[in-house]
């Protein structure tokens, strides 16, 4: 699969390393402390990954939310909000982190919103969800109202590449002197994401099952891209507790499908999923929604682990 992009993809690409420098958002002056041409804030990890990959040494990237903190309910310190006034731009997803939305409104900082990708592709994801759940009896009171669009577009590498195209345009407009370097690094990023996409397509092409049972329904775009059907214990809210009726329904679906795995998340309690898995006699495995990451990880490595977990759980050849 090749991405359609106005940029020329050049050079052999190995493992994509994060070249940018992530500033500590807890300091009073999180910007202007380096020789970078631009200072950029990012609201959560996948956008930080893109900013660092494209910006390299020319961009100082400041994470607005501390690593390891879920962005949905995160709070921002007054110092971090003040620092935004000195940033050249902020990369964010509107309606995903209320604290970031409020801070952008308060400071009036220039910002690049990723929400247009959901506007453009979310309906296709929602239709896929409706088709795969056509025989289910999902009740909206159990958190399974599929009228709400899934925000997790970055779990489809091709959509993250689409947003990366927006970012290289933003950086080049703000800093024309380094536009060629932004374009070159974007080409390397596109190639890495294309390779990752091909790995998923090939790795999930032939599997015994195509239903993935998950703790919360964050994987709609991944399912749409690679022809998987997710069944969530909870809906889009990772903190929602599944009802007893939903747990019984999931149990019946698992037993009927022959599934061997329930997928949980590293940052959300797996207690309910683990209890159900133990009761049925199957296993759990982590499928990371990549809203935040641990030290030493990056988007490519975590997505590769996700692929390995899917291949094992779906019995792929």
């Amino acid at each position: 699969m090749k991405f359609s992009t106005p940029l020329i993809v050049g050079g052999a690409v190995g493992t994509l390393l994060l070249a940018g420098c992530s500033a500590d958002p807890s300091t009073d002056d999180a910007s202007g402390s380096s020789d970078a041409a631009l200072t950029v804030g990012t609201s959560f990890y996948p956008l930080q990954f893109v900013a660092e990959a494209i910006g390299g040494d020319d961009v100082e990237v400041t994470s607005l939310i501390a690593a390891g903190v879920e962005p949905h309910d995160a709070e921002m310190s007054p110092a971090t909000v003040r620092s935004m006034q000195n940033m050249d731009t902020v990369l964010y997803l509107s309606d995903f982190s209320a604290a970031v939305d409020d801070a952008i409104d308060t400071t009036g900082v220039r910002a690049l919103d990723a929400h247009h990708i959901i506007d453009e592709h979310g309906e296709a994801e929602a239709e896929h969800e409706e088709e795969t759940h056509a025989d289910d009896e999902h009740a909206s009171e159990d958190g399974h109202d599929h009228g709400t669009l899934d925000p997790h577009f970055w779990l489809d590498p091709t959509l993250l590449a689409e947003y990366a195209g927006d970012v290289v345009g933003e950086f080049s407009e703000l800093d024309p002197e380094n536009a060629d370097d932004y374009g070159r690094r974007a080409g390397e990023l596109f190639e890495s994401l294309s390779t990752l996409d091909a790995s998923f397509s090939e790795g999930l092409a032939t599997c015994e099952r195509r239903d993935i049972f998950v703790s919360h329904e964050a994987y709609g775009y991944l399912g749409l891209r690679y022809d998987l059907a997710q069944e969530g214990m909870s809906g889009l809210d990772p903190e929602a507790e599944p009802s007893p009726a939903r747990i019984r329904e999931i149990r019946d679906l698992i037993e009927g499908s022959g599934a061997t795995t329930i997928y949980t998340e590293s940052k959300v309690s797996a207690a309910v999923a683990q209890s159900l898995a133990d009761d049925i006699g199957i296993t759990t495995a982590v499928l990371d929604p990549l809203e935040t990451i641990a030290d030493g990880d990056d988007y490519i490595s975590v997505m590769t682990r996700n692929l390995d977990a899917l291949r094992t759980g779906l019995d792929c050849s």
Side-chain angles (χ1 to χ4, degrees), residues 19 35 84 98 103 137 139 154 242:
D35 295 328
M84 291 172 63
E137 295 181 356
W154 55 89

Side-chain angles (χ1 to χ4, degrees), residues 2 5 52 63 84 134 158 166 201 235 270 274 286:
K2 294 188 181 296
T5 172
E52 290 178 332
S63 178
M84 291 172 63
T158 69
D166 297 338
S201 295
Q274 187 64 59
V286 172

